[in-house]
Amino acid sequence: MKSTRRTVLKGLGGALTLPLLETLSLAAPSQSDVPTRFLVVGNPFGAHPDHFFPKEVGKNFTVPPTLQPLEWLKDRMTIISHTDHNMVSGHGREISFLSGVLPADAQAFPEKNMSLDQLFARHVGSQVRYPSVGAALDGGIRMSWTANGVEKLPITDPQELFDHLFLNLTPGEKAARRKLLERNGSLLDAVGSQFDSVLQDASKGDRERIDQFQTSLRELERSLSDRTTWLDRDKPSFDISGHFTQPEVTIANKYDAIFDMIAYAFETDLTRVASVEFPASLSYTDIDGVNRSYHGCTHNGRKEDLVSELVAIETFQTERLSRCLKKLDSIQEPNADGSMLDHTIVLFGSGMGYGGTHSNRDLPIFVAGGGFQHRGHVDARDNSGQNMPLCNLYVTLMQRFGIDRDSFNTSTGAFELDIA
């Protein structure tokens, strides 16, 4: 029987679903090392620059209003101004936050538009139960992308996140899940036998794509085996109820629950890569002083009352993050110096610089924790006054995470941030 590329894809059925592909492992760090974790927090509209960036450069800076909740972390964070992806401003480009690349331009770059968090997740692979975890309280801001250029959607319900991370399967559910994994594995074998007929009439370009696809299949088979192993291991227990016992459940309660679950997932090594998003459509009106939509506050015309509401929303975001980082800092790493925060790379930012002007330049970025020798506030412009490619910072974060690379998409080098 003559097969076509479409026939092969159709023949796979549901066996090659993206969650399985996202667990591929390329390289495993030494098991004797304390694991490095990565937490990225993003928003869709950037930050009001006058309230985000310090006036002074260096370590002796005055913490600006939006970052006031993080003043306790002042000596362990680096705020970077004048860095971006060198894109024409406007909505739709902020999705390049963690890749530096728009999907339409992805084919020209080695990692395509794969986001930094998913590159890290691929590196971790099956060493943990979940290579990455993404969460939000509404539709995603499109900052997380797989190697296949597919958006990785966040979990938007705290209870669903709880079930995903901590709810153990019953014996019957485990048996059903194992049967599904075994069936998927046998389907892979069946699909693999069809490639000979496909290759007979394939073009050179299709042969290369098929070769890549076969490589993915082989790696997927290994990941299926790993998932069967994880199936028999109970998840750690975690109690979420304390966040939802107050008379009124607020947005703060919900985000605190999300961050607490991620901190606990880090502590129990369920995952080492997590992303949290503050979506555009989320209602912030239960925050003191906020009466308008998030997007409406960005179009403030420099009116003082609207700017104050926008800054209240942005400060709320750093408050929630600050609470999480205090929790990480309170957890001592077993058999290692420092706290969990010292071994967790924390990245905060956006693919948009400032929503009030739809600017995609001068992105609001800071890095905390991670065991770096932090530099306070850094003006990243070069001697000619050009902004630094944000991907230069990503090269540095990759290297700290254990990925031996000296480039990432639009990078021109690495950002200087030494290990402590």
Side-chain angles (χ1 to χ4, degrees), residues 97-159:
F97 171 38
L98 294 178
S99 67
V101 177
L102 293 173
D105 304 324
Q107 295 302 317
F109 295 89
E111 299 295 346
K112 300 183 173 55
N113 67 314
M114 186 180 189
S115 55
L116 186 67
D117 63 314
Q118 291 308 296
L119 183 70
F120 286 2
R122 187 176 69 179
H123 179 73
V124 171
S126 59
Q127 296 175 70
V128 293
R129 188 184 289 268
Y130 302 113
S132 70
V133 173
L137 284 183
D138 210 317
I141 61 175
R142 313 193 74 196
M143 71 178 192
S144 188
W145 300 84
T146 72
N148 299 318
V150 176
E151 181 185 1
K152 189 174 188 298
L153 298 174
I155 296 173
T156 57
D157 178 8
Q159 185 62 55

Short mmCIF file of all heavy atoms in Angstrom, two decimals, residues 97-159:
data_model
loop_
_atom_site.label_atom_id
_atom_site.label_comp_id
_atom_site.label_asym_id
_atom_site.label_seq_id
_atom_site.Cartn_x
_atom_site.Cartn_y
_atom_site.Cartn_z
N PHE A 97 8.46 37.22 23.71
CA PHE A 97 9.14 37.48 24.97
C PHE A 97 10.24 36.48 25.28
O PHE A 97 11.40 36.85 25.52
CB PHE A 97 8.11 37.53 26.11
CG PHE A 97 8.67 37.57 27.50
CD1 PHE A 97 9.80 38.31 27.80
CD2 PHE A 97 8.05 36.87 28.53
CE1 PHE A 97 10.32 38.36 29.09
CE2 PHE A 97 8.55 36.92 29.83
CZ PHE A 97 9.69 37.66 30.10
N LEU A 98 9.94 35.20 25.26
CA LEU A 98 10.90 34.18 25.69
C LEU A 98 11.64 33.50 24.55
O LEU A 98 12.39 32.55 24.77
CB LEU A 98 10.18 33.12 26.53
CG LEU A 98 9.64 33.60 27.89
CD1 LEU A 98 8.92 32.46 28.60
CD2 LEU A 98 10.75 34.16 28.76
N SER A 99 11.45 33.99 23.34
CA SER A 99 12.14 33.39 22.20
C SER A 99 12.94 34.41 21.38
O SER A 99 13.94 34.06 20.76
CB SER A 99 11.14 32.70 21.27
OG SER A 99 10.30 33.66 20.65
N GLY A 100 12.46 35.66 21.37
CA GLY A 100 13.09 36.67 20.54
C GLY A 100 12.67 36.59 19.09
O GLY A 100 13.15 37.36 18.26
N VAL A 101 11.74 35.67 18.78
CA VAL A 101 11.39 35.37 17.40
C VAL A 101 9.87 35.27 17.26
O VAL A 101 9.21 34.65 18.09
CB VAL A 101 12.03 34.04 16.96
CG1 VAL A 101 11.61 33.67 15.55
CG2 VAL A 101 13.55 34.12 17.06
N LEU A 102 9.33 35.86 16.22
CA LEU A 102 7.92 35.70 15.91
C LEU A 102 7.69 34.39 15.16
O LEU A 102 8.56 33.96 14.38
CB LEU A 102 7.42 36.87 15.07
CG LEU A 102 7.40 38.24 15.76
CD1 LEU A 102 7.06 39.33 14.76
CD2 LEU A 102 6.41 38.25 16.91
N PRO A 103 6.55 33.75 15.35
CA PRO A 103 6.30 32.49 14.64
C PRO A 103 6.47 32.59 13.14
O PRO A 103 6.98 31.66 12.51
CB PRO A 103 4.84 32.18 15.02
CG PRO A 103 4.65 32.82 16.35
CD PRO A 103 5.47 34.08 16.30
N ALA A 104 6.11 33.73 12.56
CA ALA A 104 6.21 33.88 11.10
C ALA A 104 7.65 33.88 10.62
O ALA A 104 7.94 33.56 9.46
CB ALA A 104 5.52 35.17 10.67
N ASP A 105 8.58 34.24 11.51
CA ASP A 105 10.00 34.31 11.14
C ASP A 105 10.80 33.13 11.68
O ASP A 105 12.03 33.11 11.55
CB ASP A 105 10.61 35.62 11.67
CG ASP A 105 9.85 36.85 11.20
OD1 ASP A 105 9.38 36.84 10.05
OD2 ASP A 105 9.73 37.81 11.99
N ALA A 106 10.14 32.17 12.29
CA ALA A 106 10.82 31.16 13.10
C ALA A 106 11.77 30.27 12.30
O ALA A 106 12.80 29.83 12.82
CB ALA A 106 9.78 30.30 13.82
N GLN A 107 11.44 29.98 11.05
CA GLN A 107 12.24 29.02 10.29
C GLN A 107 13.68 29.48 10.07
O GLN A 107 14.56 28.67 9.77
CB GLN A 107 11.58 28.75 8.94
CG GLN A 107 10.23 28.04 9.04
CD GLN A 107 10.32 26.71 9.78
OE1 GLN A 107 11.25 25.94 9.56
NE2 GLN A 107 9.36 26.45 10.66
N ALA A 108 13.93 30.77 10.23
CA ALA A 108 15.28 31.29 9.98
C ALA A 108 16.20 31.14 11.18
O ALA A 108 17.38 31.48 11.10
CB ALA A 108 15.18 32.77 9.59
N PHE A 109 15.68 30.60 12.30
CA PHE A 109 16.47 30.55 13.53
C PHE A 109 16.63 29.11 14.01
O PHE A 109 15.74 28.28 13.82
CB PHE A 109 15.81 31.39 14.61
CG PHE A 109 15.79 32.86 14.30
CD1 PHE A 109 14.73 33.42 13.60
CD2 PHE A 109 16.85 33.68 14.67
CE1 PHE A 109 14.71 34.76 13.29
CE2 PHE A 109 16.83 35.02 14.37
CZ PHE A 109 15.77 35.57 13.69
N PRO A 110 17.78 28.81 14.65
CA PRO A 110 18.06 27.43 15.07
C PRO A 110 16.99 26.82 15.97
O PRO A 110 16.62 25.66 15.80
CB PRO A 110 19.40 27.56 15.82
CG PRO A 110 20.02 28.80 15.29
CD PRO A 110 18.89 29.72 14.97
N GLU A 111 16.51 27.60 16.96
CA GLU A 111 15.50 27.09 17.87
C GLU A 111 14.10 27.47 17.44
O GLU A 111 13.14 27.30 18.20
CB GLU A 111 15.76 27.62 19.29
CG GLU A 111 17.09 27.21 19.89
CD GLU A 111 17.22 25.71 20.11
OE1 GLU A 111 16.19 25.01 20.06
OE2 GLU A 111 18.35 25.25 20.33
N LYS A 112 13.99 28.02 16.22
CA LYS A 112 12.70 28.52 15.73
C LYS A 112 12.14 29.48 16.78
O LYS A 112 12.85 30.33 17.28
CB LYS A 112 11.79 27.36 15.38
CG LYS A 112 12.40 26.48 14.28
CD LYS A 112 11.50 25.38 13.87
CE LYS A 112 12.06 24.63 12.66
NZ LYS A 112 13.42 24.13 12.82
N ASN A 113 10.86 29.40 17.12
CA ASN A 113 10.34 30.30 18.15
C ASN A 113 10.10 29.57 19.47
O ASN A 113 9.25 29.94 20.28
CB ASN A 113 9.05 31.00 17.71
CG ASN A 113 7.89 30.03 17.55
OD1 ASN A 113 8.04 28.97 16.96
ND2 ASN A 113 6.73 30.40 18.07
N MET A 114 10.88 28.51 19.69
CA MET A 114 10.81 27.79 20.96
C MET A 114 11.16 28.74 22.10
O MET A 114 12.16 29.47 22.03
CB MET A 114 11.78 26.61 20.95
CG MET A 114 11.68 25.71 22.16
SD MET A 114 12.89 24.35 22.01
CE MET A 114 12.39 23.31 23.37
N SER A 115 10.34 28.76 23.15
CA SER A 115 10.58 29.69 24.25
C SER A 115 11.62 29.13 25.22
O SER A 115 11.86 27.93 25.28
CB SER A 115 9.27 29.98 24.99
OG SER A 115 8.65 28.78 25.42
N LEU A 116 12.22 30.03 25.97
CA LEU A 116 13.31 29.66 26.87
C LEU A 116 12.86 28.61 27.88
O LEU A 116 13.60 27.67 28.17
CB LEU A 116 13.81 30.91 27.59
CG LEU A 116 15.05 30.75 28.47
CD1 LEU A 116 16.27 30.44 27.62
CD2 LEU A 116 15.29 32.00 29.30
N ASP A 117 11.66 28.76 28.43
CA ASP A 117 11.20 27.79 29.43
C ASP A 117 11.10 26.40 28.84
O ASP A 117 11.42 25.40 29.50
CB ASP A 117 9.87 28.24 30.04
CG ASP A 117 8.76 28.31 29.00
OD1 ASP A 117 8.99 28.86 27.92
OD2 ASP A 117 7.64 27.82 29.29
N GLN A 118 10.65 26.30 27.57
CA GLN A 118 10.51 24.98 26.96
C GLN A 118 11.87 24.39 26.55
O GLN A 118 12.04 23.17 26.52
CB GLN A 118 9.56 25.05 25.77
CG GLN A 118 8.12 25.31 26.17
CD GLN A 118 7.64 24.33 27.22
OE1 GLN A 118 7.56 23.13 26.98
NE2 GLN A 118 7.31 24.83 28.42
N LEU A 119 12.83 25.25 26.26
CA LEU A 119 14.20 24.78 26.05
C LEU A 119 14.73 24.17 27.34
O LEU A 119 15.36 23.09 27.34
CB LEU A 119 15.09 25.92 25.59
CG LEU A 119 16.53 25.57 25.26
CD1 LEU A 119 16.61 24.72 23.99
CD2 LEU A 119 17.39 26.81 25.11
N PHE A 120 14.48 24.84 28.47
CA PHE A 120 14.89 24.31 29.76
C PHE A 120 14.16 23.00 30.07
O PHE A 120 14.75 22.05 30.58
CB PHE A 120 14.60 25.33 30.86
CG PHE A 120 15.55 26.51 30.88
CD1 PHE A 120 16.55 26.64 29.94
CD2 PHE A 120 15.42 27.49 31.84
CE1 PHE A 120 17.41 27.72 29.95
CE2 PHE A 120 16.27 28.57 31.87
CZ PHE A 120 17.28 28.70 30.93
N ALA A 121 12.86 22.96 29.76
CA ALA A 121 12.08 21.75 30.03
C ALA A 121 12.62 20.57 29.22
O ALA A 121 12.68 19.44 29.72
CB ALA A 121 10.61 22.00 29.69
N ARG A 122 13.00 20.83 27.99
CA ARG A 122 13.57 19.76 27.16
C ARG A 122 14.88 19.26 27.73
O ARG A 122 15.18 18.07 27.69
CB ARG A 122 13.77 20.28 25.72
CG ARG A 122 14.19 19.21 24.73
CD ARG A 122 14.27 19.77 23.33
NE ARG A 122 15.38 20.71 23.18
CZ ARG A 122 15.69 21.31 22.04
NH1 ARG A 122 14.96 21.09 20.95
NH2 ARG A 122 16.70 22.15 21.96
N HIS A 123 15.65 20.18 28.30
CA HIS A 123 16.93 19.81 28.91
C HIS A 123 16.71 18.92 30.14
O HIS A 123 17.42 17.93 30.35
CB HIS A 123 17.68 21.08 29.30
CG HIS A 123 19.00 20.83 29.96
ND1 HIS A 123 20.10 20.38 29.27
CD2 HIS A 123 19.40 20.97 31.25
CE1 HIS A 123 21.12 20.25 30.11
NE2 HIS A 123 20.72 20.59 31.32
N VAL A 124 15.71 19.24 30.94
CA VAL A 124 15.42 18.46 32.14
C VAL A 124 14.84 17.10 31.76
O VAL A 124 15.17 16.07 32.34
CB VAL A 124 14.44 19.23 33.06
CG1 VAL A 124 13.97 18.34 34.19
CG2 VAL A 124 15.10 20.48 33.60
N GLY A 125 13.93 17.11 30.78
CA GLY A 125 13.35 15.87 30.29
C GLY A 125 12.66 15.05 31.37
O GLY A 125 11.90 15.58 32.18
N SER A 126 12.96 13.77 31.43
CA SER A 126 12.25 12.85 32.31
C SER A 126 12.91 12.68 33.67
O SER A 126 12.58 11.76 34.41
CB SER A 126 12.14 11.48 31.63
OG SER A 126 13.44 10.97 31.34
N GLN A 127 13.82 13.59 34.02
CA GLN A 127 14.40 13.53 35.36
C GLN A 127 13.36 13.85 36.43
O GLN A 127 13.52 13.51 37.60
CB GLN A 127 15.56 14.53 35.48
CG GLN A 127 16.73 14.23 34.57
CD GLN A 127 17.77 15.34 34.66
OE1 GLN A 127 18.43 15.48 35.67
NE2 GLN A 127 17.89 16.12 33.61
N VAL A 128 12.30 14.56 36.03
CA VAL A 128 11.23 14.92 36.94
C VAL A 128 9.90 14.48 36.35
O VAL A 128 9.82 14.15 35.17
CB VAL A 128 11.21 16.45 37.20
CG1 VAL A 128 12.44 16.89 37.97
CG2 VAL A 128 11.11 17.22 35.89
N ARG A 129 8.87 14.47 37.17
CA ARG A 129 7.57 14.02 36.68
C ARG A 129 7.04 14.95 35.60
O ARG A 129 6.50 14.51 34.59
CB ARG A 129 6.57 13.94 37.84
CG ARG A 129 5.24 13.31 37.44
CD ARG A 129 4.25 13.33 38.60
NE ARG A 129 4.60 12.42 39.66
CZ ARG A 129 4.16 11.16 39.76
NH1 ARG A 129 3.36 10.67 38.83
NH2 ARG A 129 4.52 10.39 40.77
N TYR A 130 7.19 16.27 35.80
CA TYR A 130 6.68 17.24 34.85
C TYR A 130 7.84 18.12 34.35
O TYR A 130 8.37 18.92 35.14
CB TYR A 130 5.60 18.12 35.49
CG TYR A 130 4.44 17.34 36.03
CD1 TYR A 130 4.19 17.29 37.40
CD2 TYR A 130 3.60 16.63 35.17
CE1 TYR A 130 3.14 16.55 37.90
CE2 TYR A 130 2.54 15.89 35.67
CZ TYR A 130 2.32 15.86 37.04
OH TYR A 130 1.27 15.12 37.53
N PRO A 131 8.25 18.02 33.10
CA PRO A 131 9.33 18.86 32.60
C PRO A 131 9.05 20.35 32.77
O PRO A 131 9.97 21.13 32.98
CB PRO A 131 9.41 18.48 31.12
CG PRO A 131 8.90 17.07 31.08
CD PRO A 131 7.80 17.03 32.11
N SER A 132 7.78 20.76 32.69
CA SER A 132 7.44 22.16 32.94
C SER A 132 5.99 22.24 33.40
O SER A 132 5.19 21.35 33.12
CB SER A 132 7.65 23.02 31.70
OG SER A 132 6.69 22.73 30.71
N VAL A 133 5.69 23.31 34.11
CA VAL A 133 4.33 23.59 34.57
C VAL A 133 4.03 25.06 34.24
O VAL A 133 4.84 25.95 34.55
CB VAL A 133 4.20 23.36 36.09
CG1 VAL A 133 2.83 23.83 36.58
CG2 VAL A 133 4.41 21.89 36.43
N GLY A 134 2.89 25.30 33.62
CA GLY A 134 2.48 26.66 33.31
C GLY A 134 1.12 26.95 33.92
O GLY A 134 0.22 26.11 33.89
N ALA A 135 0.96 28.15 34.50
CA ALA A 135 -0.29 28.49 35.16
C ALA A 135 -0.64 29.95 34.96
O ALA A 135 0.23 30.80 34.76
CB ALA A 135 -0.21 28.17 36.66
N ALA A 136 -1.93 30.24 35.02
CA ALA A 136 -2.46 31.60 34.92
C ALA A 136 -3.88 31.55 35.46
O ALA A 136 -4.37 30.48 35.85
CB ALA A 136 -2.44 32.11 33.49
N LEU A 137 -4.56 32.69 35.49
CA LEU A 137 -5.95 32.71 35.91
C LEU A 137 -6.90 33.03 34.76
O LEU A 137 -8.10 33.19 34.97
CB LEU A 137 -6.17 33.73 37.04
CG LEU A 137 -5.68 33.28 38.42
CD1 LEU A 137 -6.03 34.33 39.46
CD2 LEU A 137 -6.26 31.93 38.82
N ASP A 138 -6.37 33.11 33.58
CA ASP A 138 -7.20 33.34 32.40
C ASP A 138 -6.39 32.91 31.19
O ASP A 138 -5.28 32.39 31.34
CB ASP A 138 -7.62 34.81 32.30
CG ASP A 138 -8.98 34.97 31.61
OD1 ASP A 138 -9.20 34.28 30.59
OD2 ASP A 138 -9.81 35.76 32.09
N GLY A 139 -6.93 33.13 30.00
CA GLY A 139 -6.22 32.73 28.80
C GLY A 139 -4.80 33.24 28.78
O GLY A 139 -4.48 34.33 29.27
N GLY A 140 -3.91 32.44 28.23
CA GLY A 140 -2.49 32.75 28.24
C GLY A 140 -2.12 33.98 27.46
O GLY A 140 -2.88 34.47 26.62
N ILE A 141 -0.93 34.49 27.75
CA ILE A 141 -0.41 35.66 27.02
C ILE A 141 0.54 35.23 25.91
O ILE A 141 1.28 36.03 25.37
CB ILE A 141 0.28 36.65 27.97
CG1 ILE A 141 1.47 36.01 28.69
CG2 ILE A 141 -0.71 37.18 28.98
CD1 ILE A 141 2.26 36.98 29.54
N ARG A 142 0.53 33.93 25.61
CA ARG A 142 1.26 33.38 24.47
C ARG A 142 2.78 33.58 24.62
O ARG A 142 3.45 34.03 23.70
CB ARG A 142 0.76 33.98 23.16
CG ARG A 142 -0.75 34.00 23.01
CD ARG A 142 -1.17 34.31 21.59
NE ARG A 142 -0.93 33.16 20.73
CZ ARG A 142 -0.91 33.23 19.39
NH1 ARG A 142 -1.10 34.40 18.80
NH2 ARG A 142 -0.71 32.15 18.69
N MET A 143 3.31 33.23 25.78
CA MET A 143 4.75 33.41 25.96
C MET A 143 5.50 32.08 25.96
O MET A 143 6.72 32.07 25.96
CB MET A 143 5.04 34.18 27.25
CG MET A 143 4.81 33.44 28.54
SD MET A 143 5.27 34.48 29.96
CE MET A 143 5.26 33.26 31.29
N SER A 144 4.78 30.95 25.96
CA SER A 144 5.42 29.65 26.05
C SER A 144 5.15 28.86 24.78
O SER A 144 3.99 28.61 24.42
CB SER A 144 4.91 28.90 27.28
OG SER A 144 5.63 27.72 27.51
N TRP A 145 6.24 28.44 24.09
CA TRP A 145 6.12 27.78 22.78
C TRP A 145 7.01 26.55 22.74
O TRP A 145 8.15 26.57 23.18
CB TRP A 145 6.53 28.74 21.67
CG TRP A 145 5.70 29.98 21.61
CD1 TRP A 145 5.86 31.11 22.36
CD2 TRP A 145 4.55 30.20 20.78
NE1 TRP A 145 4.87 32.03 22.04
CE2 TRP A 145 4.07 31.50 21.07
CE3 TRP A 145 3.90 29.44 19.81
CZ2 TRP A 145 2.96 32.04 20.43
CZ3 TRP A 145 2.80 29.97 19.17
CH2 TRP A 145 2.33 31.26 19.48
N THR A 146 6.49 25.47 22.18
CA THR A 146 7.23 24.23 22.08
C THR A 146 8.21 24.26 20.90
O THR A 146 8.19 25.17 20.08
CB THR A 146 6.29 23.03 21.91
OG1 THR A 146 5.73 23.07 20.59
CG2 THR A 146 5.17 23.06 22.94
N ALA A 147 9.01 23.20 20.81
CA ALA A 147 9.96 23.08 19.71
C ALA A 147 9.27 22.98 18.37
O ALA A 147 9.87 23.26 17.33
CB ALA A 147 10.86 21.87 19.93
N ASN A 148 8.00 22.60 18.38
CA ASN A 148 7.23 22.49 17.15
C ASN A 148 6.51 23.78 16.80
O ASN A 148 5.70 23.80 15.87
CB ASN A 148 6.21 21.36 17.27
CG ASN A 148 6.87 20.02 17.51
OD1 ASN A 148 7.88 19.72 16.89
ND2 ASN A 148 6.34 19.23 18.42
N GLY A 149 6.77 24.85 17.56
CA GLY A 149 6.12 26.12 17.29
C GLY A 149 4.68 26.18 17.73
O GLY A 149 3.90 27.00 17.23
N VAL A 150 4.29 25.33 18.66
CA VAL A 150 2.92 25.29 19.15
C VAL A 150 2.86 25.96 20.52
O VAL A 150 3.70 25.69 21.39
CB VAL A 150 2.41 23.84 19.25
CG1 VAL A 150 1.01 23.80 19.85
CG2 VAL A 150 2.43 23.18 17.88
N GLU A 151 1.89 26.83 20.70
CA GLU A 151 1.74 27.50 21.99
C GLU A 151 1.41 26.49 23.08
O GLU A 151 0.53 25.64 22.91
CB GLU A 151 0.64 28.56 21.92
CG GLU A 151 0.44 29.31 23.22
CD GLU A 151 -0.74 30.27 23.18
OE1 GLU A 151 -1.42 30.33 22.13
OE2 GLU A 151 -0.98 30.95 24.20
N LYS A 152 2.11 26.58 24.21
CA LYS A 152 1.83 25.72 25.36
C LYS A 152 0.93 26.50 26.30
O LYS A 152 1.35 27.47 26.92
CB LYS A 152 3.12 25.31 26.06
CG LYS A 152 2.90 24.25 27.12
CD LYS A 152 4.23 23.77 27.68
CE LYS A 152 4.02 22.56 28.59
NZ LYS A 152 3.18 22.85 29.75
N LEU A 153 -0.32 26.07 26.37
CA LEU A 153 -1.30 26.81 27.14
C LEU A 153 -1.15 26.55 28.64
O LEU A 153 -0.87 25.43 29.06
CB LEU A 153 -2.71 26.41 26.71
CG LEU A 153 -3.06 26.71 25.24
CD1 LEU A 153 -4.42 26.14 24.90
CD2 LEU A 153 -3.03 28.21 24.99
N PRO A 154 -1.35 27.58 29.46
CA PRO A 154 -1.25 27.39 30.90
C PRO A 154 -2.51 26.77 31.47
O PRO A 154 -3.59 26.83 30.86
CB PRO A 154 -1.08 28.83 31.42
CG PRO A 154 -1.86 29.65 30.44
CD PRO A 154 -1.63 28.99 29.10
N ILE A 155 -2.39 26.17 32.63
CA ILE A 155 -3.55 25.72 33.39
C ILE A 155 -4.15 26.95 34.06
O ILE A 155 -3.45 27.70 34.75
CB ILE A 155 -3.16 24.67 34.44
CG1 ILE A 155 -2.63 23.41 33.74
CG2 ILE A 155 -4.33 24.32 35.34
CD1 ILE A 155 -2.06 22.37 34.69
N THR A 156 -5.45 27.19 33.87
CA THR A 156 -6.05 28.44 34.31
C THR A 156 -6.95 28.31 35.54
O THR A 156 -7.58 29.29 35.94
CB THR A 156 -6.86 29.08 33.17
OG1 THR A 156 -7.85 28.14 32.72
CG2 THR A 156 -5.95 29.44 32.00
N ASP A 157 -7.04 27.14 36.12
CA ASP A 157 -7.85 26.94 37.31
C ASP A 157 -6.97 26.37 38.42
O ASP A 157 -6.35 25.31 38.25
CB ASP A 157 -8.99 25.95 36.99
CG ASP A 157 -9.86 25.65 38.20
OD1 ASP A 157 -9.70 26.31 39.24
OD2 ASP A 157 -10.71 24.73 38.10
N PRO A 158 -6.86 27.07 39.57
CA PRO A 158 -6.00 26.56 40.65
C PRO A 158 -6.35 25.14 41.08
O PRO A 158 -5.45 24.35 41.40
CB PRO A 158 -6.25 27.56 41.79
CG PRO A 158 -6.62 28.83 41.11
CD PRO A 158 -7.42 28.40 39.90
N GLN A 159 -7.64 24.79 41.09
CA GLN A 159 -8.01 23.43 41.47
C GLN A 159 -7.51 22.42 40.45
O GLN A 159 -7.05 21.33 40.79
CB GLN A 159 -9.52 23.31 41.62
CG GLN A 159 -9.98 21.96 42.14
CD GLN A 159 -9.44 21.65 43.53
OE1 GLN A 159 -9.65 22.43 44.46
NE2 GLN A 159 -8.73 20.54 43.68
#
